């Protein structure tokens, strides 16, 4: 499907080093995710998050990510990281997620969900969500697992923006964007050397592949023609 002028948003998640944060912005990434979930090997302390936020280039969002954290933990993280968006990845309900006066994304594990998980159900359960992160892991599990998301498991009636996540890498994100046409894509382990340690070459290739997926135009017989935007 050709979507003239549309740009698939990109979120790099689980950054822990100022240099990785700075590079993400310079590569044109739309958001960086800082993780405060106790279960994450990429967790950062609120005070450290302040320094990471200060390293960020302008016009890039900070997403503060939580998984069943307490109200006080969320408030402390917000005070230091000054995020523009929250992401809740655990059993938090809509009332909890909207308590902090910032827009939020709700993380949803698709593995094993089946047909019971529809857009209608999600929008009814999280009516104030700005959107969803549809992830490759199962319900109740942590993200950042590298488990490949099944495009076929994406509910067909999603009416709010969703970010596709789960096992995305430079080598597979082109096909994922072409197949799902998501609002955005999210990656953690697929651009890492080890948890929290991002690799600059993988980061660059990931962005290049998303841009290539946005750029090509399908020919009459569904083959990939040259870029309709830049003509390459
Ligand atoms: O990334 C984590 O360590 C993490 C821990 C606990 C809850 C959520 C977590 N990450 C959520 C994300 O948004 C990840 O970017 C997403 O699950 C994709 O991860 P990956 O499959 O490694 O690309």
């Amino acid at each position: 499907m050709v979507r003239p002028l549309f740009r698939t948003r990109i979120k790099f998640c689980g950054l822990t080093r100022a240099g990785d944060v700075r590079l993400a912005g310079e590569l044109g990434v739309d958001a960086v995710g800082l993780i405060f979930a106790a279960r994450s090997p990429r967790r950062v302390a609120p005070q450290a998050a302040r320094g990471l936020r200060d390293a960020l280039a302008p016009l890039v969002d900070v997403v503060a990510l939580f998984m069943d954290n307490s109200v006080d933990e969320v408030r402390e993280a917000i005070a230091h990281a000054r995020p523009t968006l929250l992401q809740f990845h655990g059993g938090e309900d809509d009332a909890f997620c909207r308590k902090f006066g910032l827009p939020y994304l709700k993380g949803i594990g698709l593995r094993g969900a089946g047909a019971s998980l529809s857009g209608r159900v999600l929008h009814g359960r999280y009516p104030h969500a700005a959107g969803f992160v549809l992830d490759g892991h199962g319900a109740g599990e942590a993200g950042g697992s590298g488990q490949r998301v099944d495009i076929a498991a994406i509910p067909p009636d999603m009416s709010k923006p969703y970010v596709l996540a789960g096992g995305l890498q430079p080598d597979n994100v082109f096909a994922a964007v072409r197949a799902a046409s998501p609002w955005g894509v999210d990656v953690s382990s697929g651009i890492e050397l080890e948890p929290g340690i991002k690799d600059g070459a993988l980061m660059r290739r990931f962005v290049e592949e998303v841009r290539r997926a946005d750029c090509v135009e399908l020919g009459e017989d569904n083959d990939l023609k040259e870029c309709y935007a830049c003509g390459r």
Side-chain angles (χ1 to χ4, degrees):
M1 177 181 82
V2 174
R3 300 182 294 178
L5 305 182
F6 180 81
R7 179 173 54 79
T8 304
R9 272 57 176 187
I10 301 172
K11 171 180 167 246
F12 281 175
C13 197
L15 282 76
T16 63
R17 302 187 304 179
D20 292 344
V21 168
R22 189 71 194 182
L23 177 60
E26 290 167 356
L27 289 172
V29 162
D30 298 278
V32 296
L34 303 183
I35 301 179
F36 302 94
R39 297 170 57 172
S40 174
R42 304 173 179 92
R43 181 183 184 191
V44 294
Q47 297 76 6
R50 176 179 292 274
L52 295 176
R53 203 257 186 274
D54 292 343
L56 194 58
L59 301 179
V60 182
D61 275 338
V62 171
V63 179
L65 192 151
F66 306 96
M67 185 171 189
D68 301 317
N69 293 75
S70 70
V71 169
D72 289 345
E73 288 170 342
V74 174
R75 287 194 169 128
E76 184 184 17
I78 290 172
H80 286 83
R82 291 154 284 143
T84 43
L85 189 62
L86 306 180
Q87 179 179 329
F88 293 99
H89 220 89
E92 304 89 349
D93 63 13
D94 184 66
F96 182 93
C97 295
R98 61 190 293 243
K99 198 188 286 279
F100 307 96
L102 288 167
Y104 80 88
L105 300 175
K106 185 64 184 71
I108 302 291
L110 293 182
R111 185 177 299 273
S116 64
L117 188 66
S118 68
R120 185 179 56 78
V121 166
L122 287 177
H123 305 147
R125 196 177 296 166
Y126 303 102
H128 297 86
F132 297 91
V133 177
L134 300 183
D135 210 321
H137 59 74
E141 296 175 358
S145 64
Q147 292 183 74
R148 182 71 187 277
V149 64
D150 177 3
I151 303 292
I154 298 171
D157 59 337
M158 295 296 292
S159 58
K160 287 186 178 182
Y162 69 84
V163 177
L164 190 64
L168 296 180
Q169 304 174 355
D171 292 339
N172 65 25
V173 70
F174 176 92
V177 170
R178 297 301 301 177
S181 299
W183 174 258
V185 289
D186 170 317
V187 61
S188 192
S189 54
I191 55 171
E192 285 180 338
L193 297 174
E194 58 184 86
I197 307 301
K198 306 305 184 185
D199 175 79
L202 291 174
M203 293 163 72
R204 173 181 295 278
R205 279 188 51 223
F206 190 93
V207 173
E208 288 172 344
E209 283 299 287
V210 175
R211 294 292 170 256
R212 188 169 71 91
D214 284 345
C215 201
V216 297
E217 181 179 352
L218 290 182
E220 286 70 33
D221 48 359
N222 232 21
D223 65 318
L224 296 182
K225 290 172 56 182
E226 67 182 12
C227 176
Y228 69 87
C230 57
R232 280 183 291 130

